[in-house]
Amino acid sequence: MDRYAVLGWPAAHSKSPPMQRRFAEQTGQRMTYEAIEIRPEALADALKRFHAEGWKGFNITLPHKLAVVALCERVSARACIAGAANCLLRTEAGWSGDNTDGEGLIRDLHNQGMPVRGRRVLVLGAGGAARGVLKPLLDEKPAELTLSSRNPWKPEEIAQQFKPYGAIRPCTHLALKGDRYDLIVNATSAGHSGQIPRLPGQLVAEGGACYDLSYGTAFEPFRAWAQEQHAEKIADGLGMLVEQGAASFELWRGMRPQTADVIRRLRAGA
Ligand SMILES: NC(=O)c1ccc[n+]([C@@H]2O[C@H](COP(=O)([O-])OP(=O)(O)OC[C@H]3O[C@@H](n4cnc5c(N)ncnc54)[C@H](OP(=O)(O)O)[C@@H]3O)[C@@H](O)[C@H]2O)c1
């Protein structure tokens, strides 16, 4: 049996094992998938050991997504641009790192009927997840892409770095006052502490949509804010999670699983 796992600290709560097992069942693949908790300081040795033991691939979750890049033998262009990897594939020489988060977001936005092309798009937060989704968002040709965070420096640095792929307007959350957006993507982790970034009101344009990368209870503060702002469509990041997992599965097994039923089951807690 080919062996796969998600590596994180913590990892026990991860929805990846039930999700990847369903993909395997659905496509008739003989593989195992589990969650393994690895402390940050143990990651490098663990990856060497897993390679020697013949493991085929991994998903990488917090807090290892950035650190794992330096431990890869090869890194895909999209992982390199994001500066983070969420998926490792075995090669004879070592691990090849890739990043399927952006692809997962774009597919789920499409599933949700939240178009990017020609729209005014705002990304909140300038952490690892934001970096992973910016180039895929730019590739969709929005009318405008703004990146905001609590301080101006991170968005400015990122906007400079992403210049070859398209224009990003960097600013602070508070400097958004007076702007209107057709799509607001929350890529902050504020929801995990029951918060949302401090934002001016009336940011959502008429008919606009709000998407949160977080899901579960971490989605609730942003959902409440989006409702207050009269967003026409509001979605959490569970669909993105499943789509990035399906993209990882395809990299490992060479076939794309169906996602709609898996999203439904995870949402129902099954
Ligand atoms: N659905 C999926 O598949 C998926 C995939 C990846 C990530 N995610 C989710 O995306 C979120 C971000 O992940 P990440 O890896 O980017 O984390 P990260 O690198 O730690 O970045 C977190 C960002 O959140 C901001 N932030 C944290 N607390 C805040 C607060 N109280 N108010 C305002 N901003 C705050 C930080 O802001 P500053 O820049 O202002 O300091 C930073 O930019 C997490 O909730 C994660 O679970 C979901």
Side-chain angles (χ1 to χ4, degrees):
M1 285 269 221
D2 291 343
R3 286 186 292 173
Y4 298 86
V6 55
L7 308 181
W9 182 261
H13 66 289
S14 172
K15 291 188 189 299
S16 290
M19 173 172 89
Q20 294 291 347
R21 287 178 201 143
R22 287 203 194 286
F23 291 156
E25 228 175 80
Q26 199 194 89
T27 53
Q29 294 292 295
R30 283 175 51 76
M31 59 184 270
T32 63
Y33 191 105
E34 59 197 276
I36 302 178
E37 303 208 314
I38 307 276
R39 287 180 184 275
E41 62 276 17
L43 184 64
D45 285 345
L47 284 175
K48 275 188 207 149
R49 190 178 75 243
F50 290 141
H51 194 268
E53 289 171 1
W55 289 69
K56 295 288 188 193
F58 294 100
N59 282 125
I60 303 296
T61 188
L62 290 176
H64 304 315
K65 284 187 184 187
L66 304 183
V68 80
V69 171
L71 305 173
C72 290
E73 188 65 28
R74 279 205 317 239
V75 179
S76 70
R78 55 190 182 173
C80 191
I81 292 164
N86 72 331
C87 179
L88 301 187
L89 293 89
R90 183 192 179 77
T91 70
E92 275 323 298
W95 297 108
S96 171
D98 204 340
N99 192 318
T100 62
D101 277 342
E103 178 183 342
L105 172 67
I106 299 299
R107 281 185 184 268
D108 197 44
L109 287 173
H110 179 79
N111 296 343
Q112 304 284 348
M114 295 180 172
V116 173
R117 180 174 290 268
R119 304 303 203 275
R120 292 163 294 178
V121 178
L122 167 64
V123 174
L124 303 170
R131 296 179 65 92
V133 303
L134 286 171
K135 163 107 177 13
L137 284 170
L138 284 168
D139 289 346
E140 293 293 299
K141 308 278 179 243
E144 172 193 329
L145 182 58
T146 299
L147 175 67
S148 72
S149 107
R150 288 176 292 192
N151 69 61
W153 305 292
K154 275 200 259 176
E156 276 166 15
E157 193 185 307
I158 293 174
Q160 272 301 325
Q161 197 191 336
F162 278 72
K163 244 184 188 163
Y165 314 112
I168 296 175
R169 182 169 78 88
C171 68
T172 62
H173 297 318
L174 292 177
L176 295 168
K177 195 167 181 338
D179 290 1
R180 297 282 178 281
Y181 293 95
D182 305 303
L183 173 64
I184 300 181
V185 177
N186 181 21
T188 75
S189 55
H192 291 282
S193 41
Q195 296 177 334
I196 59 155
R198 275 186 64 204
L199 297 169
Q202 298 178 330
L203 277 184
V204 183
E206 204 175 326
C210 290
Y211 189 100
D212 196 346
L213 264 55
S214 296
Y215 48 85
T217 51
F219 169 53
E220 292 309 323
F222 187 69
R223 183 217 292 270
W225 178 83
Q227 277 168 345
E228 277 165 25
Q229 300 292 313
H230 308 292
E232 194 171 289
K233 290 183 177 168
I234 305 171
D236 68 4
L238 190 69
M240 170 179 168
L241 177 84
V242 175
E243 294 294 348
Q244 64 77 31
S248 300
F249 186 92
E250 187 175 9
L251 287 171
W252 295 326
R253 309 301 298 183
M255 58 184 74
R256 190 164 191 95
Q258 301 288 330
T259 52
D261 181 55
V262 177
I263 294 171
R264 248 193 319 274
R265 282 171 186 248
L266 284 182
R267 207 171 279 296

